[in-house]
Amino acid sequence: MNIQNNINQEDFDYSQDVIKKLSDYFDSKVVGQRGLKFSLIASIIADGHILVESVPGLAKTTAAKAISDAVDGKFARIQCTPDLLPGDIVGTQIYNQATQKFETILGPVFANFVLLDEVNRSSAKTQSAMLEAMQEKQVTIGGKAYHMPEDIFIVIATQNPIEQEGTYPLSEAQTDRFLIKEVITYPTAAEEVEILSRIESGTISRVDPPVLTIKDVDKVQDIVDKVYVDDAIKWYISSIVVASRRANQIPDFELGKYVRIGVSPRASIAFLKMSKAAALMQGRTYVTPEDVKLVRHQVLRHRIGLNYSAVADNISVEMVIDGIVNSVKTP
């Protein structure tokens, strides 16, 4: 692989400093959750939205707020409920009797970081209100388009996998808009003790000043775009994506029969963006096959559709992803 360096030393050092400050700030507010920290920072510098799945109480909201506070960004938390309306998120028009005109009231979605808490509790109609905002970075109210913040606009949505009553599963069209999906688990016993110690000392609830600005993140996003990706890596990404669509045709791959639907080209784009971010976070200006493998679960787990047989046979989507990736020759 012929490695080209498109990033000068000054920009590289700048990006490493920003990533370290984001990481340190996260660690000061959240105990453990290394996977969530990686996914949040990587998706933000890759300029993509993130879907986080876990049972309640595992610091999803705390983590999202920590990243926003670190860069002094405008943060909005939207608690999704079945009675939440699209206008409650994007805004609406209200008639002003004094002026006898309709006035546009913008919703909380107009922020740098938008936390959609328990997104699957909102109705399909409300969920669809976010499609335009996430894809086009604008919303239409009364026939007029209103744009999201020009610098940073990241949606962090959370969902609870164990609750079924009063929930509306996200459609494939909705989940595909998220760059990645992260699944987080319970902390270890030692991490649990650390959480209790921090609560007792008051360090978790303490408000610390930001260590960066929105412009810092915006600049790192530009630097990430310059990370070199060889054609061999692009072919590797393409081969993985195509393999997901023909999983039942992969030789000696028993799990292929569980795949109902493969992934769209958005998965290829997500692989490209996330592998670039992963490379830069590990101190490199070029992408390796290991970077692609590192982000395979985050990129693919919400895009590959499994059939009912997978549920019956206790086959996880991560097991299928590993099989698909292992079937593709590493360049």
Side-chain angles (χ1 to χ4, degrees):
M1 184 169 66
N2 183 25
I3 297 171
Q4 299 177 11
N5 191 357
N6 302 321
I7 302 175
N8 60 44
Q9 190 63 43
E10 182 182 354
D11 284 346
F12 176 76
D13 293 341
Y14 183 92
S15 67
Q16 297 304 294
D17 181 59
V18 169
I19 291 169
K20 185 178 187 306
K21 285 180 178 178
L22 274 176
S23 177
D24 291 346
Y25 198 95
F26 182 96
D27 289 338
S28 71
K29 295 298 180 183
V30 180
V31 177
Q33 303 297 2
R34 301 299 180 199
L36 179 59
K37 178 175 74 171
F38 169 81
S39 292
L40 274 175
I41 295 177
S43 64
I44 286 169
I45 65 177
D47 193 19
H49 311 296
I50 176 173
L51 179 62
V52 183
E53 182 176 280
S54 82
V55 297
L58 295 189
K60 299 185 294 293
T61 302
T62 302
K65 187 70 165 63
I67 292 294
S68 177
D69 289 344
V71 300
D72 198 20
K74 184 179 179 182
F75 179 80
R77 180 181 181 273
I78 302 171
Q79 181 61 53
C80 296
T81 55
D83 61 346
L84 189 73
L85 298 175
D88 297 329
I89 295 178
V90 301
T92 187
Q93 287 187 315
I94 297 177
Y95 185 71
N96 188 327
Q97 289 186 332
T99 62
Q100 295 187 345
K101 293 181 179 179
F102 281 96
E103 295 180 356
T104 299
I105 307 299
L106 299 181
V109 73
F110 290 89
N112 297 118
F113 297 92
V114 179
L115 175 65
L116 290 177
D117 215 355
E118 295 185 299
V119 64
N120 55 332
R121 282 198 170 278
S122 60
S123 67
K125 183 177 181 180
T126 302
Q127 291 173 10
S128 65
M130 288 299 297
L131 288 175
E132 183 183 11
M134 294 171 65
Q135 187 68 26
E136 310 296 335
K137 294 195 174 182
Q138 69 174 35
V139 297
T140 304
I141 304 173
K144 182 179 179 181
Y146 295 86
H147 295 274
M148 302 293 118
E150 292 184 1
D151 35 32
I152 302 296
F153 173 65
I154 303 292
V155 174
I156 305 168
T158 71
Q159 65 179 10
N160 182 350
I162 61 173
E163 287 188 302
Q164 300 300 324
E165 293 185 18
T167 62
Y168 304 83
L170 296 176
S171 66
E172 285 82 356
Q174 183 81 15
T175 54
D176 212 19
R177 257 65 174 191
F178 290 97
L179 183 72
I180 58 172
K181 176 183 178 181
E182 182 60 64
V183 176
I184 58 178
T185 56
Y186 290 110
T188 64
E191 290 169 346
E192 200 97 26
V193 172
E194 176 64 18
I195 291 171
L196 297 178
S197 298
R198 289 194 186 187
I199 289 176
E200 194 174 38
S201 64
T203 56
I204 287 183
S205 58
R206 185 181 66 227
V207 179
D208 294 328
V211 292
L212 298 164
T213 67
I214 287 293
K215 289 185 177 180
D216 289 323
V217 179
D218 196 28
K219 183 174 179 180
V220 173
Q221 288 181 348
D222 292 336
I223 296 173
V224 167
D225 288 339
K226 299 177 184 177
V227 172
Y228 177 70
V229 183
D230 193 81
D231 284 344
I233 300 294
K234 293 175 185 176
W235 274 104
Y236 182 51
I237 291 172
S238 176
S239 298
I240 293 173
V241 168
V242 171
S244 76
R245 302 167 188 163
R246 303 172 181 171
N248 60 350
Q249 300 175 21
I250 297 175
D252 301 322
F253 181 49
E254 291 294 324
L255 299 183
K257 63 184 179 182
Y258 296 109
V259 178
R260 175 175 56 87
I261 185 172
V263 299
S264 75
R266 283 199 184 99
S268 301
I269 297 170
F271 260 129
L272 184 69
K273 289 185 174 182
M274 283 297 293
S275 57
K276 283 185 175 187
L280 196 63
M281 289 177 68
Q282 295 177 87
R284 280 182 281 102
T285 59
Y286 58 91
V287 173
T288 68
E290 283 65 38
D291 296 321
V292 177
K293 292 178 180 179
L294 180 65
V295 300
R296 65 191 187 281
H297 290 162
Q298 292 94 325
V299 169
L300 296 177
R301 60 162 54 105
H302 59 303
R303 292 186 167 96
I304 289 181
L306 302 184
N307 54 34
Y308 290 111
S309 297
V311 178
D313 294 343
N314 199 28
I315 302 297
S316 70
V317 69
E318 286 82 8
M319 293 167 61
V320 174
I321 291 170
D322 289 342
I324 290 172
V325 173
N326 291 336
S327 73
V328 178
K329 184 180 179 181
T330 303

